[in-house]
Each structure stands twice: as C-alpha cells, then as structure tokens.
Amino acid sequence: ATTGHSRGPSSLVCPVCHGPIGSICDGAIASTEKLGEKASVQVVSFRYGKHNYYLSVPSSTKKGWFRQTSKMTAQDRIASVLGMNIKSGGLKILYKGKVICPDSRKSAEEISKQLLDLSNASVMGSKPSLVVMGTRSGDEVISAPGTASSSYREGMLSLLRWGVVFLFNTTRNILGGLALFAKSLVIMPAAPNDDDRRIW
C-alpha cells in the first residue's frame, strides 16, 4: 500500500518520513498515480476514521481448490481491506449522511455499481464522498455467560423446579390426609369385653 501525507492530525505515521498519513491507496492505484495516468481499474474511494482510502476493485477473484472465479464487489473490497464482516452487519457505508450499504432493496452488484459511480465522481486527492463506519472483526462485543439471556433462562429453570417440588409435596400431603381419614372410618375401636370389666 502507498500512503499520501497531510498536515492535519492523524493517528498513523509514515514509516519513511514520519509524517502524518492522510490517504491510503493500493499498488494498482499508486502505479497509475505516479505516471500521471487515469486508473485503468475500477476505484472505490471512501473515508474511514481520519484517512482517505483509494482501492482498486478487481473484476474477479480466484479462490478454492479448482481456482473458481467470482465477481468482487466494491463493498467486498472495502470489507476485505478493513477486516469487517458484511454479513453480520459490521459494515455500513454512508453518502451524505444516508446509509446506502447495506440496502435490502438492491442486489450486491447494484450497490457496488453505485459505490463505484460515486467514487468516480470524486477526483483523486480530493475528499471522498463516501464514509465507512463499522466494527472490525475481532473487536465485537461478545456476550459473556451470565448475561441477561442466560440469567433469564436459569431463573425460569429454577422457577420450574420449585413448581414441580411444590406440586409433588402438596399432592403427597393431600393423599396422606385422605388415606388417614379413610383408615379412621374403616377401623373402629374395639368394644371392651366382660373380662376387661372384671379386672377394673
């Protein structure tokens, strides 16, 4: 990657001249820029944090054991460079304050074309009109065991256990009382006989 310098504040510093970095572009963009030519590849430009990015978007990428080719979109290129996950909603692209990616009403190819068209409208070196926001993979907040969902589940299980024990004890006591009452009706106390009367 090649970097451009700016006088404004920046968190990144050039390893060569130790000046603040204002823009970042990949090799394909840098080679045409040095020759003063217009980039022959598709370019997506955007702002992320304090830096401007200018990235080439290959027409296709090769992957897998059989080197299958698949079309790369502008948003895929952005997510790949910044280490974000599009599917999990970790990447959002804004234009004039409005989120244009993701957009459920458009296909991935339509969104990519829109991003490339808006990038082409921005001149190289000027401030890109697209703004990228999102969380990089590995920086997401992960729910720990003991969160609200697990606590709710544990509470429900505890309540269920208490209900079962209460029902069991109540049923046992009722049946025990009924059995004792039935026993008292069937077994009557024996009447004293004559021998007992003589003793007393």
Side-chain angles (χ1 to χ4, degrees):
T2 307
T3 58
H5 304 97
S6 69
R7 295 180 181 177
S10 174
S11 57
L12 294 179
V13 177
C14 175
V16 178
C17 67
H18 305 291
I21 296 173
S23 61
I24 301 170
C25 57
D26 59 20
I29 305 297
S31 60
T32 55
E33 185 186 3
K34 285 179 182 177
L35 296 173
E37 300 174 355
K38 187 177 180 180
S40 57
V41 294
Q42 300 181 104
V43 179
V44 60
S45 61
F46 59 92
R47 283 177 287 148
Y48 177 70
K50 298 177 181 178
H51 307 102
N52 300 332
Y53 287 77
Y54 302 89
L55 306 175
S56 60
V57 181
S59 56
S60 63
T61 57
K62 294 182 179 180
K63 62 180 182 178
W65 291 99
F66 299 102
R67 308 298 290 174
Q68 296 176 345
T69 59
S70 62
K71 186 173 178 59
M72 174 176 277
T73 62
Q75 58 269 31
D76 288 333
R77 178 69 170 138
I78 295 172
S80 173
V81 170
L82 297 182
M84 295 181 178
N85 192 337
I86 299 178
K87 294 181 179 177
S88 66
L91 171 69
K92 284 186 177 17
I93 304 174
L94 290 77
Y95 176 68
K96 293 184 178 179
K98 181 182 177 182
V99 177
I100 60 174
C101 177
D103 188 347
S104 58
R105 299 168 299 177
K106 296 180 180 178
S107 66
E109 289 74 18
E110 290 174 331
I111 294 173
S112 180
K113 185 179 183 307
Q114 183 182 13
L115 297 177
L116 292 171
D117 290 342
L118 293 171
S119 297
N120 289 334
S122 301
V123 182
M124 180 68 177
S126 64
K127 196 175 184 180
S129 56
L130 299 176
V131 177
V132 172
M133 299 177 65
T135 306
R136 297 195 174 192
S137 300
D139 294 339
E140 302 93 342
V141 178
I142 301 173
S143 299
T147 54
S149 58
S150 60
S151 299
Y152 175 77
R153 188 165 52 250
E154 289 174 5
M156 290 301 293
L157 288 174
S158 176
L159 184 63
L160 182 63
R161 281 195 297 267
W162 178 85
V164 170
V165 171
F166 175 79
L167 185 62
F168 174 77
N169 289 335
T170 303
T171 305
R172 186 181 61 179
N173 292 336
I174 291 173
L175 292 176
L178 289 174
L180 188 61
F181 179 70
K183 235 191 235 183
S184 65
L185 292 177
V186 174
I187 305 172
M188 299 294 293
N193 53 29
D194 295 338
D195 294 336
D196 293 335
R197 289 197 188 101
R198 290 194 194 98
I199 293 170
W200 290 101

